[in-house]
Amino acid sequence: MIKPILLSLLFWTASLVLLANERSISTEIQESDPIKIEMVTNFGTLIVQLYDETPLHRDNFLRLVKEGTYDSLQFHRIIRNFMVQAGDIRSKNATLTDTLGGSDLGYRIPAEIHPHLFHKKGALGAARTNNPDRASSSTQFYIVQGRVQNDSLLQHNENRINQFLASHFATNDPDNKPLLDSLAAARKEKNEELVKTLSAQWNELTKTYSRFDRYTIPDAHREVYKALGGTPHLDQSYTVFGEVISGLEVIDALAGVETNRQDRPVVEVRILSMKILPK
C-alpha cells in the first residue's frame, strides 16, 4: 500500500515532468513557427513566409535582410503574367536606362529543389544562371505572378519541365562530357560551323534522353494552378524557398507596370525596406 506522503511525492514529481514536457513541446512549436518577412515596396507591402525545407536559402535571405542588402534595390526585370525579379545589388543607385541583372555578391547557394514546393502565384524563388548544378544567385530572387492554368496548359508545362530535366541530367551525365567539351572548345575558337553541328547533335540527344525519373505534376498542385495560377514550367528547375502570404494584389500591381523590350520597368519599382517580423 502506497502511503499518503509517498503518493504526494509521486504526484509532485509527475507534475514536474508533465510541466517540463509541456514547456518542451511549446518551445518546439515556437521554434518551428515559419519566419515571416515584411517587404515594403513603392507599390505596396508584401508579407513573405520562408520555408524551413530550404534552410540554406532561408538563412542566406535572413542574413541579407538583417544587413539591409535589399533596402532600396529595384525590381529590375518584370514580365507580366510571369514574375517580378529583384536583387541586383547595382540597382540601388542605377538609373532607369542602366543595364541590370548581372550582379550579386559573387557566391552561389546550392540548389534545394523539393517536389512539394512549386511555382504557384506568390511563390518566392531564387534566380540563377544556367549552371549545371542549378545553384542559386546569392541575392537575386523572383516572385511569381503567373496565370491561371487549364488541363491543356498543365500538360504542355509538364512536357517543358521534363525537357528541362532531360537537359539537366544529360549535362551531368559523364557519357556526354566529350560532346560538351567539344562544343565548348568550338565556341571558344569561334568555329561557327562546328558549333552549329555540335549544337544540333546536343539538341537531338536531349530530346531523346531518358536516364531520369520523369516528373508528373501532382493533382494537388494542378488544382492550385487551375484556381490561383502560377508558372508550372519552372518546377523542379529552380529553388522555391518561400511564398507571399499577404499582398498578392501587390504582385499584380508590380507586374502591371510598363516595361521596355528588355523587360526593364520604365518607372522606378523599388523595395523600400525589408524586415523580419516577430513571431
Side-chain angles (χ1 to χ4, degrees), residues 200-216:
Q201 291 179 23
W202 176 250
N203 290 335
E204 189 61 32
L205 186 152
T206 57
K207 284 180 183 178
T208 58
Y209 190 82
S210 60
R211 296 181 188 174
F212 68 100
D213 293 330
R214 288 186 62 83
Y215 179 76
T216 301

Side-chain angles (χ1 to χ4, degrees), residues 124-261:
L124 174 66
R128 65 173 177 83
T129 59
N130 188 26
N131 65 87
D133 297 323
R134 300 185 292 190
S136 304
S137 163
S138 55
T139 61
Q140 292 202 36
F141 67 88
Y142 57 89
I143 300 174
V144 172
Q145 183 194 33
R147 65 178 68 202
V148 172
Q149 305 286 311
N150 57 33
D151 288 328
S152 177
L153 287 172
L154 286 169
Q155 185 57 54
H156 172 72
N157 281 295
E158 187 175 288
N159 291 336
R160 292 184 69 185
I161 292 170
N162 283 296
Q163 288 171 7
F164 293 146
L165 290 175
S167 179
H168 167 71
F169 286 104
T171 300
N172 288 279
D173 188 334
D175 290 347
N176 299 327
K177 190 175 186 302
L179 174 57
L180 289 174
D181 287 346
S182 298
L183 180 56
R187 285 171 174 162
K188 186 176 181 179
E189 296 167 1
K190 297 182 179 180
N191 187 333
E192 295 183 4
E193 191 62 33
L194 185 57
V195 168
K196 183 178 179 180
T197 299
L198 295 176
S199 294
Q201 291 179 23
W202 176 250
N203 290 335
E204 189 61 32
L205 186 152
T206 57
K207 284 180 183 178
T208 58
Y209 190 82
S210 60
R211 296 181 188 174
F212 68 100
D213 293 330
R214 288 186 62 83
Y215 179 76
T216 301
I217 300 175
D219 290 341
H221 296 188
R222 286 176 173 269
E223 293 307 312
V224 174
Y225 280 133
K226 288 194 282 188
L228 182 64
T231 57
H233 73 274
L234 297 181
D235 286 351
Q236 306 309 300
S237 287
Y238 292 79
T239 296
V240 177
F241 64 101
E243 64 178 281
V244 172
I245 59 172
S246 176
L248 288 178
E249 71 283 356
V250 177
I251 302 173
D252 294 331
L254 296 172
V257 302
E258 184 182 352
T259 58
N260 62 23
R261 291 181 178 179

Side-chain angles (χ1 to χ4, degrees), residues 16 19 38 54 111 157 212 219 230 232 234 256 265 277:
L16 286 179
L19 180 60
E38 179 187 74
T54 52
N157 281 295
F212 68 100
D219 290 341
L234 297 181
L277 295 177

